[in-house]
Amino acid sequence: MDFARINGVTLHYRSVGNDSHRPLIVFINSLGTDFRIWDPVIAELGEDYAYLLHDKRGHGLSDLGEAPYSIDDHVDDLIGLLEKVATRPVILWGLSVGGLIAQGLYAKRPDLVRAIVLSNTAHRIGTAEMWNTRIAKIEADGLASLLEPIMERWFTPAFRRVDNPVYAGCCTMLLRQSAAGYNGTCAAIRDADFTEAARRIAVPVLCVAGDGDGSTPVELVKSTADLIPGSQFAVIEACAHIPCIEQPAAYAARVRTFLKTLPET
């Protein structure tokens, strides 16, 4: 296990193959997950790439820090980790709130970024009222009170089977999440708006949606792709909000096609 002290917070991270000249993919997690969600995608992509994964503050084995957070808190943590670990511009691959963090990092440090995959995300996600209601519910009744509606947004009915051990494991992952860290990041999502910043992205971008996503529907992801000059857009079928778990092979294949179009560095 690797840990780094950045901005007063200890972050848990994993670096794979980063001593080579292979393109470096930096995965940025969704809300309520840890970096193990990317393992099936890494297995699909194999040794063509190097990888950097981390648990953002308030998630996984990383410190809680001072919640609530802003997207800038998560952005600055990742910038600090990149300055410590990365040796070249990276491919940011952000899922859900991870996509907001990717947009924020590019806005602040475009020199660190070679390309971006914005997955199941948008320039703005939800409304203040929605996020405040969720925060209040968790403060009153705990994360377990929202397990079922969260899973309905994360996965399609076909995946949410009682005999599916991967689904059971994902439920456990969420239930073991720090409620304070979860709510702290809900506040960060609530306050983030990259509508104007998206128009200024000048590196290659692929926006990916799941056809059954209840958190960031296809139309919302497409609206973000429409803001970004020259971006590509793709839809993963039979998939909801967490394609790296539900459809890793199709997901990795579509992103690999995009990555193969990137100019050599």
Side-chain angles (χ1 to χ4, degrees):
M1 293 189 293
D2 294 314
F3 295 89
R5 189 72 175 170
I6 296 170
N7 300 324
V9 174
T10 298
L11 297 180
H12 180 218
Y13 74 95
R14 182 200 299 164
S15 180
V16 181
N18 196 22
D19 56 350
S20 74
H21 296 292
R22 289 174 285 182
L24 176 57
I25 296 173
V26 177
F27 292 112
I28 318 172
N29 289 15
S30 55
L31 176 66
T33 65
D34 62 54
F35 66 55
R36 290 174 292 185
I37 65 172
W38 299 105
D39 288 347
V41 168
I42 292 174
E44 293 290 337
L45 292 176
E47 297 182 357
D48 291 341
Y49 302 93
Y51 307 100
L52 178 64
L53 312 92
H54 79 293
D55 292 335
K56 59 185 168 290
R57 61 170 65 195
H59 289 68
L61 298 183
S62 292
D63 281 352
L64 179 63
E66 293 188 15
Y69 316 127
S70 68
I71 288 296
D72 275 347
D73 291 328
H74 292 306
V75 166
D76 290 343
D77 289 346
L78 183 52
I79 287 173
L81 185 60
L82 291 177
E83 289 177 338
K84 175 181 176 63
V85 176
T87 58
R88 56 205 183 278
V90 305
I91 300 158
L92 296 177
W93 187 335
L95 174 64
S96 192
V97 65
L100 294 174
I101 295 167
Q103 292 172 76
L105 193 150
Y106 179 82
K108 185 172 285 192
R109 289 291 305 276
D111 59 297
L112 297 176
V113 183
R114 179 183 176 193
I116 307 173
V117 178
L118 296 176
S119 178
N120 304 79
T121 191
H123 51 286
R124 181 167 177 79
I125 302 175
T127 64
E129 180 182 7
M130 183 200 82
W131 290 112
N132 287 336
T133 298
R134 187 183 300 192
I135 290 167
K137 175 66 173 174
I138 292 169
E139 288 176 343
D141 301 318
L143 258 174
S145 68
L146 290 178
L147 177 63
E148 185 172 344
I150 289 173
M151 290 299 140
E152 288 175 352
R153 290 188 290 269
W154 279 15
F155 301 114
T156 63
F159 190 85
R160 298 193 317 269
R161 304 186 320 270
V162 295
D163 63 338
N164 180 358
V166 179
Y167 174 63
C170 290
C171 291
T172 301
M173 176 177 60
L174 179 67
L175 292 174
R176 291 182 179 176
Q177 162 69 41
S178 160
Y182 186 98
N183 271 356
T185 299
C186 285
I189 300 171
R190 177 195 64 200
D191 299 336
D193 187 344
F194 291 102
T195 305
E196 294 306 317
R199 304 180 197 275
R200 297 190 291 272
I201 297 176
V203 295
V205 175
L206 171 66
C207 295
V208 182
D211 66 354
D213 190 340
S215 290
T216 51
V218 171
E219 297 78 12
L220 179 61
V221 182
K222 180 62 165 63
S223 72
T224 301
D226 290 343
L227 291 173
I228 300 171
S231 69
Q232 299 181 35
F233 176 69
V235 178
I236 307 299
E237 297 181 354
C239 184
H241 194 57
I242 314 288
C244 46
I245 294 176
E246 189 162 13
Q247 295 290 350
Y251 186 46
R254 181 60 187 88
V255 176
R256 182 193 289 274
T257 299
F258 165 71
L259 298 178
K260 291 298 185 183
T261 70
L262 297 181
E264 296 292 330
T265 57

